[in-house]
Amino acid sequence: MQRLPSACDFGVSAGQSPHRRYVTWHHKRRLRGSPGPITHGAFLRAKQQVTVAAELLNWLTERGATLDRLSQTQLDRWRAEGPTTRAIANSFLGWAIKAQLTTTTLILPRRSDGAAPRMPALEQHSLVAEVSTGTKLTTRDRAAAILIVVFAQLAENVAALTRDQVDVQRDRVTIALGKTAIEIPPPLDEPFRELAVSSHSNTASHPASKWFFPGYAPGRHISPAQLRERLHPLFSPRAARLGTLHELTKLAPIAIIAEALGYTAQTIERHAKGAATTYAEYVASRR
């Protein structure tokens, strides 16, 4: 299991009291309470939130202002002057309000999940047909694309897929993304069969590598950023994943989707609401 990140991992110094408290009492406690190993994606998201919080605190310090006296005007100005990623500071500010470290009347506009680009259903169907034949992708990229387009996997999870998670038998191929192994039907199973017997992972740089998608550095898997870059010429991994989740929530109950794909029920519930269906409605219809 990956060790719990320390304050030093986030670049936090002892002199940044609110910042350090945010790392200790919000992120470290939340990561410690995670039911499974801390994923690389979870660590990166936490690090990004901590980084943006530091940017806000530095901005205030440069202007002789303090967090406890942060005004709505100052907050709106800070947001307007920078990139859209400054909205990520909502995590820090929400925590600071609850901890009574800043003004409790601040308005924190939320980033709308609906604003995220989602691949339309017709475009998605065409993409599924494309990854099924694999005419525009290498075997390796085709397997990664199938995991994102068909099984709605995050690029972080695809990159960190291990060979133990993929079981290739003569009559079937299964993959363990969550608690339940999923059978990959033909022709989607073809790239996984090819990679399973390929010598790509048993080179001098990657002797008997445990990773299904080895990276360029010995002993490391491909980075999520590299994976996205390889797939972007054909499609947007994020848009495809969101489109798949949107469609899946119309076809199966939340609990089954979450268990099979390795998501939390809360995450699938959010997508289900966007697809105009909820688990409660499913239960009611069954009753």
Side-chain angles (χ1 to χ4, degrees):
M1 179 176 178
Q2 181 178 334
R3 69 176 179 84
L4 186 69
S6 67
C8 294
D9 292 321
F10 293 112
V12 178
S13 66
Q16 296 172 312
S17 181
H19 199 209
R20 190 177 187 87
R21 289 175 62 181
Y22 175 55
V23 171
T24 302
W25 297 106
H26 178 70
H27 285 294
K28 288 186 68 177
R29 184 161 60 177
R30 181 172 58 84
L31 293 174
R32 183 180 289 114
S34 175
I38 301 171
T39 66
H40 184 61
F43 174 77
L44 290 181
R45 284 191 294 274
K47 188 170 185 178
Q48 186 178 38
Q49 290 174 354
V50 170
T51 299
V52 175
E55 292 176 359
L56 173 59
L57 292 173
N58 289 337
W59 186 87
L60 291 172
T61 300
E62 291 169 359
R63 287 156 181 78
T66 57
L67 180 64
D68 63 322
R69 295 180 179 274
L70 175 63
S71 68
Q72 187 68 49
T73 300
Q74 289 172 322
L75 176 59
D76 292 343
R77 179 184 172 188
W78 177 73
R79 286 181 180 274
E81 290 178 351
T84 56
T85 52
R86 287 190 171 181
I88 297 174
N90 281 0
S91 171
F92 169 67
L93 289 170
W95 168 84
I97 290 173
K98 291 181 180 178
Q100 298 182 339
L101 297 177
T102 191
T103 311
T104 59
T105 57
L106 290 176
I107 299 175
L108 309 178
R110 295 291 178 181
R111 298 168 73 184
S112 173
D113 291 337
R118 185 180 66 222
M119 185 175 291
L122 289 178
E123 184 178 342
Q124 194 135 19
H125 292 161
S126 298
L127 183 57
V128 170
E130 175 59 40
V131 299
S132 296
T133 58
T135 57
K136 297 181 180 179
L137 294 170
T138 65
T139 299
R140 188 189 194 199
D141 291 346
R142 184 183 166 201
I146 288 171
L147 292 175
I148 295 174
V149 176
V150 179
F151 298 104
Q153 292 298 292
L154 289 161
E156 289 83 358
N157 295 340
V158 173
L161 187 74
T162 63
R163 300 180 73 85
D164 290 342
Q165 291 177 258
V166 182
D167 183 25
V168 178
Q169 301 294 330
R170 183 176 181 179
D171 59 338
R172 65 174 186 169
V173 174
T174 60
I175 185 167
L177 302 173
K179 296 180 180 179
T180 305
I182 304 173
E183 183 171 350
I184 304 179
L188 297 177
D189 63 337
E190 293 175 359
F192 296 93
R193 291 184 179 279
E194 292 180 29
L195 290 176
V197 298
S198 171
S199 60
H200 175 77
S201 298
N202 295 314
T203 64
S205 299
H206 300 281
S209 173
K210 71 174 183 178
W211 306 113
F212 203 80
F213 300 102
Y216 301 111
R220 302 290 297 274
H221 58 67
I222 188 173
S223 74
Q226 290 171 335
L227 181 60
R228 295 189 191 95
E229 185 178 350
R230 293 179 66 88
L231 298 178
H232 259 302
L234 184 61
F235 67 94
S236 165
R238 175 177 171 80
R241 180 178 64 85
L242 293 179
T244 298
L245 286 175
H246 183 79
E247 294 302 316
L248 285 176
T249 54
K250 300 177 182 178
L251 305 175
I254 289 170
I256 292 178
I257 297 174
E259 182 174 298
L261 301 184
Y263 281 90
T264 65
Q266 292 80 4
T267 297
I268 301 301
E269 175 73 19
R270 289 198 299 270
H271 289 280
K273 288 179 179 178
T277 179
T278 65
Y279 189 42
E281 291 171 345
Y282 169 80
V283 173
S285 66
R286 294 293 293 177
R287 288 177 178 173

